[in-house]
Amino acid sequence: MAAPVPLPFAHSERSSIGIEWEVALVDADSGDLRQAAEAILAAVRPAGGGDHPLITQELLLNTVELRSGKCTTVAEAAADLQRALDIVGAAAETLRIDLMGSGTHPFAQWSNQRVTDKQRYATLIDRTQWWGRQMLIYGVHVHVGIEDRAKVLPLSRAMLTVFAHIQSLSASSPFWGGKDTGYASNRALLFQQLPTAGLPFGFDEWSQLEQYVGDMMHTGVIDQFDEVRWDVRPSPRFGTLEMRIADGASNLLEVAAISALTHCFVEHFSTLLDRGEALPSLPPWFAQENKWRSARYGMDAIIITNAAGDEELVTDAIGRWLVELAPVAERLGCAAELDQVRVILRRGASYQRQRAVARRHAGELDAVVRSLVAEMNAGRPL
């Protein structure tokens, strides 16, 4: 057995929040992806040099990541994202590039995409080959500050009981390479093909996580903890629990709504811990099944709600949670954003809206791209 690797957990204020939003660069004329991230990043670089604090590189050159600072409310984080979106949008417009948000591009071919020239990405592609090259996917990641390291793993396990709620609401990747996959979130199942991605292990103690990292580093699987890409993972560097569940969103309203729901879940479970109450949990086989069901069926998923195997339509479960979390949202200052989850329930998730556009246009997926760009510009579902 290898020596464990110490993972110091940075100080972070309770329920502080940060959001990362991966956005695609699409050609304004063809709707196909453009490999223009380097040009965009150069255009937005601050006058004093260095990287823009709210805009950064990603794996592929067709992508930029918008990120908020460390914020106290979802509204504050969303304002950061809007500023970043405005800056990137202005730079992109001069290149005849539109911005698009979704879990996948409806018709782009993964084999045509170029990888950002960074050693960590080159190492990833060299190791993972065909599967790594297929990572033509986009997500929204939500960091929530955890004030005590002892809470991190219990909260991580509890979040797996509401994983399907977040994945179903955010599902936005029904198309892949020009075909309807039959899945609401094809991204969810694509991403877990990477060797350190997917659902996290159910560690009970922080020392077990440190042993895992030691073993992975000793055997050359990873060089640093950031290469562990679980759907829910501790982020020791920031002192947060990072939820990487959600598909990429087509508009800021949905980013804010899904982030508010995530924020409230973490704070709710943290409060239960403070009261000495047991947190909900699911056997790993039920958590895995829920992930598959929500990826396949989205808002029509019948999810498993407890260890007894009881089941419920995910939208009914979300409706109940919105009522239960209302006082939490008031406390966190995100009541308005949490209420926007009802907009998604009413208008349909992005995968449903994308399919509706495709049906109206006899299956033409360039129309779907146009609709996603229009939602980005409008800031809300259309």
Side-chain angles (χ1 to χ4, degrees):
M1 184 177 288
V5 170
L7 291 175
F9 194 75
H11 170 73
S12 187
E13 291 77 14
R14 175 174 176 152
S15 289
S16 53
I17 185 166
I19 306 171
E20 300 164 354
W21 182 14
E22 295 167 352
V23 172
L25 307 172
V26 300
D27 187 83
D29 300 305
S30 70
D32 205 348
L33 289 168
R34 287 272 296 274
Q35 316 297 306
E38 290 174 338
I40 298 288
L41 292 166
V44 304
R45 192 165 289 130
D51 296 330
H52 194 288
L54 303 179
I55 305 161
T56 188
Q57 286 181 310
E58 255 303 322
L59 169 65
L60 297 176
L61 288 176
N62 61 52
T63 311
V64 293
E65 182 180 270
L66 314 181
R67 54 174 57 177
S68 76
K70 179 180 177 180
C71 300
T72 56
T73 65
V74 171
E76 185 186 342
D80 275 357
L81 293 176
Q82 183 64 64
R83 279 195 294 276
L85 193 62
D86 291 343
I87 293 166
V88 171
E93 187 176 13
T94 65
L95 300 171
R96 290 201 58 74
I97 289 173
D98 289 325
L99 305 182
M100 187 202 83
S102 184
T104 54
H105 186 285
F107 63 80
Q109 299 298 313
W110 64 266
S111 56
N112 295 338
Q113 309 311 313
R114 289 166 47 211
V115 176
T116 298
D117 186 17
K118 270 193 170 181
Q119 186 56 51
R120 63 182 293 223
Y121 296 139
T123 301
L124 170 67
I125 297 300
D126 181 63
R127 180 163 195 255
T128 57
Q129 291 295 305
W130 194 75
W131 281 113
R133 289 282 299 151
Q134 287 200 83
M135 292 298 116
L136 181 52
I137 53 177
Y138 310 89
V140 172
H141 304 161
V142 181
H143 288 260
V144 179
I146 311 298
E147 77 280 13
D148 181 354
R149 192 184 76 177
K151 285 185 166 184
V152 174
L153 295 177
L155 289 173
S156 176
R157 293 193 297 273
M159 286 301 295
L160 296 186
T161 67
V162 293
F163 184 105
H165 307 56
I166 297 169
Q167 186 168 275
S168 291
L169 278 169
S170 70
S172 63
S173 49
F175 300 109
W176 175 255
K179 305 290 186 184
D180 190 325
T181 64
Y183 282 78
S185 175
N186 193 47
R187 167 193 168 269
L189 302 186
L190 269 172
F191 191 51
Q192 70 181 19
Q193 304 308 316
L194 294 181
T196 59
L199 295 173
F201 295 108
F203 297 125
D204 294 315
E205 304 290 340
W206 194 260
S207 60
Q208 293 174 306
L209 177 63
E210 293 179 325
Q211 182 62 60
Y212 164 82
V213 174
D215 289 345
M216 294 297 99
M217 292 180 72
H218 176 73
T219 53
V221 178
I222 61 173
D223 293 320
Q224 56 189 24
F225 182 72
D226 283 355
E227 293 169 26
V228 175
R229 297 177 173 90
W230 294 328
D231 299 323
V232 180
R233 72 175 182 186
S235 186
R237 182 161 58 104
F238 295 120
T240 64
L241 185 62
E242 181 184 5
M243 273 59 63
R244 302 159 57 86
I245 301 166
D247 272 5
S250 63
N251 61 86
L252 190 56
L253 181 146
E254 284 182 295
V255 173
I258 289 159
S259 298
L261 180 64
T262 305
H263 200 198
C264 289
F265 276 140
V266 176
E267 173 62 22
H268 169 72
F269 293 138
S270 188
T271 301
L272 293 184
L273 274 180
D274 291 344
R275 294 178 188 157
E277 297 182 31
L279 296 188
S281 63
L282 280 175
W285 44 93
F286 282 170
Q288 184 173 315
E289 175 64 13
N290 274 349
K291 178 177 180 178
W292 185 85
R293 289 186 186 186
S294 62
R296 169 65 178 88
Y297 299 108
M299 303 281 260
D300 295 319
I302 305 293
I303 60 168
I304 303 163
T305 57
N306 54 37
D310 294 328
E311 296 173 291
E312 185 177 19
L313 180 65
V314 70
T315 49
D316 290 344
I318 292 166
R320 286 191 305 98
W321 271 113
L322 290 178
V323 174
E324 185 165 354
L325 294 174
V328 181
E330 289 288 348
R331 200 162 70 240
L332 292 175
C334 65
E337 290 80 16
L338 183 67
D339 197 52
Q340 288 168 346
V341 170
R342 300 183 192 279
V343 175
I344 308 174
L345 293 174
R346 188 169 65 249
R347 299 300 301 270
S350 178
Y351 78 92
Q352 294 171 308
R353 303 195 305 272
Q354 289 181 47
R355 283 185 173 140
V357 170
R359 284 195 300 271
R360 290 197 300 271
H361 292 83
E364 292 295 329
L365 297 186
D366 55 348
V368 177
V369 173
R370 289 196 300 272
S371 73
L372 291 168
V373 169
E375 289 197 359
M376 180 70 78
N377 293 335
R380 59 183 174 80
L382 296 175

